[in-house]
Amino acid sequence: MSVSKSRATNSLLRSERKSLIRFLQLYVGLVILLLIALAVIYYEAGKRFMLSEQRADLNQYAYIQTKRLKALHHYFDERVTYPRDSRFRSAIFDNEYHEIFSLLKQPKINFKQEIYLKDRKIHFVETLDEFYLGTRYLVLEVDDDGVWSKLLWRNILAYGGVIWLFFMGLGIFLANRFVKPMRDSIMLLDRFIKDTTHELNTPLAAILANIEIMDLSTMQEKNRRKLERINAAAITVSLLYKDLTYLTLEQEHKNKDEWIDIVTLLEERMDYFRVLSLSRELSCQTDLERAVIYMDQRKLIRVVDNLLSNAIKYNKRNGTVGIILRQGSLTIWDTGIGIKEEQKEMMFDRYMRFEESEGGFGVGLSIVKNITDEYRIKIEVVSKLKEGTRITLLW
Amino acid sequence: MVKIIIAVFTLTFFVWSDNAYERHCVSCHRELPTSLQRMFMYYLEIYSGEKSVKVALKRYMRNPFRDVSVMPELFLDTYGIKQPLKLDERELEEAIEIYWETYQVHGRLK
């Protein structure tokens, strides 16, 4: 059971996997956005806190400097030395923002903000009420040591990391919840099929064997027709049976890879399908050149059988099934119902059926995909609705 | 006679050779105890920038009022408000311009 569980997990439908991936992308994107927003808010708050601490000092410096300016104002121009202070640099501006005198290292000043950080310099803009020496704005400048910033960054990385881990954990949890119902239903179906296939084996073998040994020559034309139809139906069921056993049991077997002469194999398979195609009055066009491939024969048969049976099943009455074989490519085409462009993507999904009227579990093409993926065989699908489908394998 | 002529000549020369500011402002202000420099500093203290100071000066020279004067009450009580200056526009502006250039702080701080 554990085997079938892991397989079921791998066989999530492509469409569903796609929406799962989209969900995860969206989720990760949102989390990143959230983290960035949090970091920005945190950093800004930290910066504002640092500035507000600086403001207390700067306010006091400004008060002292204003007093000095006042004194200089009264003794101007017997004294002309601008008052300096080792704790800060300062500059004075008139009400037209013209510089009167400046000791600043960073000359660009934003008069609209009282305190701000620029290029690792903190500027404090004090507006005077009495314009000593014409000074409307007194600007103080101190160097920012950047310690606060380093501290903030360390915190952002640490907390951010924790939050990130938390959200990623949550994301995985959510994704699992999201996938679980699908996985459950697929597992259920898998188990059901596995159980049923067992029961199919014996009666199917009996039907086929008995049809084989029936003497057609002594039979009336009418009855022979009926028997052929029974035969065709039995073959269809037998195909399904093989697919299902392949899925549930044989898939796990080790590959017995060997060089296979594809022409021989194709002829044998066509022979096998003859009854089926006759019942639909299909004609067959073949264009076969010698070609070989190195793979497990059972698997190649599953691929060919599924493609041929689809070409027959979805064909119209009196239609044609074509096979073109070259070294490195095998094309099987039909004149059937075709498939819609938007369905192409999902056509290899398990349990996906496009024609409800046709029987089957919709496992055929998923097996094909499974096997061709394993052998790195490329599949090209060209299809026109109501005109036919053309599937080419390239290796 | 020659002395007088020379004296008058020198005086006229002296008067006319000076600029509008020297001619119109300094002479009268020599009588006052507060220097033009101090008065300029009052203006700076109240009007700050170049344009504002010049506009205010010009307005005051044309329409001196007690309540717009920058001088202390005590000063005004003693010396009164000055008379509106009767200079033509160009000369007043020139005088103020020179006044500004003479006392402005920018470039003189060290």
Side-chain angles (χ1 to χ4, degrees):
Chain A
M1 201 83 281
S2 72
V3 170
S4 105
K5 177 173 174 168
S6 77
R7 193 186 321 136
T9 324
N10 292 335
S11 62
L12 274 185
L13 304 190
R14 185 166 320 209
S15 50
E16 252 123 345
R17 188 171 326 149
K18 230 175 167 178
S19 53
L20 181 66
I21 285 171
R22 222 169 281 159
F23 160 77
L24 282 177
Q25 277 171 346
L26 192 72
Y27 181 80
V28 169
L30 282 177
V31 168
I32 287 174
L33 224 64
L34 178 80
L35 279 179
I36 289 175
L38 280 177
V40 168
I41 291 171
Y42 178 73
Y43 189 85
E44 282 303 313
K47 186 163 130 186
R48 211 163 314 140
F49 179 71
M50 178 279 293
L51 287 177
S52 77
E53 277 190 333
Q54 289 281 352
R55 193 206 311 266
D57 286 346
L58 288 165
N59 232 329
Q60 198 172 0
Y61 296 159
Y63 177 74
I64 296 166
Q65 189 70 0
T66 307
K67 289 224 142 161
R68 291 176 182 148
L69 287 176
K70 183 176 180 177
L72 185 61
H73 179 88
H74 286 297
Y75 292 107
F76 200 78
D77 60 347
E78 288 127 61
R79 294 190 203 161
V80 290
T81 316
Y82 183 83
R84 283 153 171 85
D85 195 306
S86 60
R87 294 167 294 183
F88 59 88
R89 295 175 293 276
S90 64
I92 53 179
F93 294 82
D94 68 22
N95 67 339
E96 289 147 26
Y97 307 109
H98 284 145
E99 178 188 299
I100 303 169
F101 188 80
S102 172
L103 295 168
L104 302 186
K105 286 188 182 162
Q106 160 63 262
K108 276 187 95 79
I109 287 145
N110 180 359
F111 290 96
K112 300 227 155 42
Q113 259 178 303
E114 189 193 9
I115 188 165
Y116 60 90
L117 178 71
K118 189 170 185 192
D119 296 339
R120 311 207 68 181
K121 308 266 183 294
I122 298 167
H123 278 171
F124 179 74
V125 181
E126 169 90 339
T127 311
L128 302 194
D129 296 326
E130 279 158 33
F131 309 148
Y132 304 121
L133 300 166
T135 306
R136 173 86 204 251
Y137 302 103
L138 167 63
V139 180
L140 303 187
E141 182 185 86
V142 290
D143 291 323
D144 165 36
D145 56 10
V147 170
W148 63 275
S149 165
K150 258 178 231 138
L151 210 81
L152 285 184
W153 270 115
R154 222 181 46 204
N155 284 349
I156 285 174
L157 288 183
Y159 293 134
V162 170
I163 297 174
W164 172 258
L165 285 181
F166 170 75
F167 274 107
M168 283 308 102
L170 188 69
I172 291 168
F173 173 73
L174 284 180
N176 266 327
R177 302 271 324 236
F178 177 78
V179 167
K180 200 172 177 314
M182 290 176 345
R183 208 162 40 189
D184 283 353
S185 61
I186 288 174
M187 254 168 65
L188 204 70
L189 206 51
D190 272 3
R191 200 179 318 155
F192 169 76
I193 288 169
K194 197 171 179 174
D195 296 346
T196 355
T197 14
H198 263 324
E199 308 301 320
L200 276 175
N201 192 12
T202 331
L204 200 56
I207 294 171
L208 285 169
N210 280 303
I211 294 172
E212 276 297 92
I213 55 170
M214 267 188 174
D215 191 356
L216 295 180
S217 55
T218 62
M219 212 174 272
Q220 275 185 347
E221 175 68 16
K222 212 171 68 188
N223 286 343
R224 211 169 62 208
R225 273 279 159 79
K226 282 181 186 154
L227 186 67
E228 265 165 14
R229 250 176 266 152
I230 294 174
N231 198 2
I235 286 174
T236 310
V237 178
S238 141
L239 269 174
L240 179 60
Y241 169 75
K242 282 179 192 155
D243 274 348
L244 292 178
T245 37
Y246 172 82
L247 261 186
T248 50
L249 305 167
E250 283 182 35
Q251 202 181 35
E252 311 298 328
H253 288 181
K254 237 174 106 54
N255 284 344
K256 280 190 283 213
D257 289 347
E258 59 193 319
W259 284 108
I260 303 166
D261 174 13
I262 307 177
V263 177
T264 321
L265 185 134
L266 278 178
E267 274 163 355
E268 188 190 303
R269 297 326 291 163
M270 276 150 58
D271 202 44
Y272 179 77
F273 280 105
R274 185 140 298 134
V275 185
L276 210 58
S277 63
L278 280 178
S279 73
R280 293 215 166 208
E281 290 162 39
L282 301 176
S283 61
C284 189
Q285 272 182 26
T286 55
D287 172 8
L288 309 181
E289 282 177 14
R290 213 189 100 77
V292 291
I293 189 168
Y294 189 73
M295 72 187 281
D296 188 323
Q297 174 143 352
R298 281 173 314 134
K299 294 193 173 176
L300 182 57
I301 290 177
R302 292 274 38 80
V303 172
V304 170
D305 277 11
N306 272 302
L307 294 180
L308 281 177
S309 84
N310 276 350
I312 294 168
K313 211 166 26 175
Y314 297 113
N315 222 318
K316 59 171 185 263
R317 219 153 246 290
N318 294 317
T320 312
V321 173
I323 306 175
I324 305 165
L325 176 66
R326 297 284 180 272
Q327 178 53 38
S329 85
L330 169 63
T331 304
I332 294 178
W333 56 271
D334 63 55
T335 51
I337 52 174
I339 76 165
K340 288 194 198 107
E341 191 62 31
E342 64 264 28
Q343 288 177 324
K344 253 186 180 172
E345 220 174 295
M346 300 182 292
M347 67 187 278
F348 294 106
D349 273 355
R350 196 155 177 188
Y351 305 134
M352 179 57 75
R353 273 172 12 206
F354 295 111
E355 225 10 65
E356 293 296 327
S357 63
E358 291 296 333
F361 287 94
V363 290
L365 283 178
S366 94
I367 291 174
V368 170
K369 180 76 178 143
N370 204 311
I371 295 170
T372 51
D373 279 353
E374 183 187 343
Y375 286 95
R376 299 222 165 73
I377 296 169
K378 232 181 106 199
I379 306 183
E380 276 176 9
V381 182
V382 182
S383 185
K384 252 201 174 144
L385 213 58
K386 302 220 167 63
E387 282 182 25
T389 306
R390 191 184 178 91
I391 297 185
T392 304
L393 306 179
L394 296 161
W395 65 91
Chain B
M1 184 62 195
V2 173
K3 262 185 188 166
I4 295 171
I5 290 172
I6 291 175
V8 168
F9 190 77
T10 3
L11 200 75
T12 11
F13 181 78
F14 182 74
V15 168
W16 286 106
S17 69
D18 282 335
N19 57 43
Y21 169 66
E22 299 279 348
R23 256 181 287 136
H24 297 298
C25 317
V26 178
S27 49
C28 182
H29 269 263
R30 245 193 285 271
E31 317 294 324
L32 297 170
T34 304
S35 69
L36 269 165
Q37 152 88 28
R38 276 296 87 215
M39 289 179 178
F40 186 83
M41 292 316 274
Y42 283 132
Y43 262 82
L44 274 189
E45 193 176 331
I46 288 168
Y47 296 105
S48 182
E50 177 174 352
K51 274 197 203 88
S52 323
V53 168
K54 284 180 176 170
V55 166
L57 272 174
K58 196 166 155 191
R59 202 183 318 121
Y60 191 78
M61 295 306 125
R62 291 294 189 208
N63 312 293
F65 284 114
R66 195 185 175 100
D67 51 350
V68 283
S69 170
V70 300
M71 301 307 287
E73 291 287 316
L74 205 67
F75 179 94
L76 293 178
D77 287 345
T78 327
Y79 297 93
I81 301 293
K82 74 201 276 181
Q83 293 298 310
L85 288 186
K86 290 196 174 50
L87 295 174
D88 66 64
E89 191 77 8
R90 203 181 48 79
E91 275 202 291
L92 179 58
E93 269 168 22
E94 194 188 324
I96 289 173
E97 177 66 37
I98 296 165
Y99 186 38
W100 170 266
E101 289 301 329
T102 315
Y103 294 114
Q104 67 144 321
V105 174
H106 180 79
R108 295 168 68 205
L109 282 172
K110 292 194 169 54

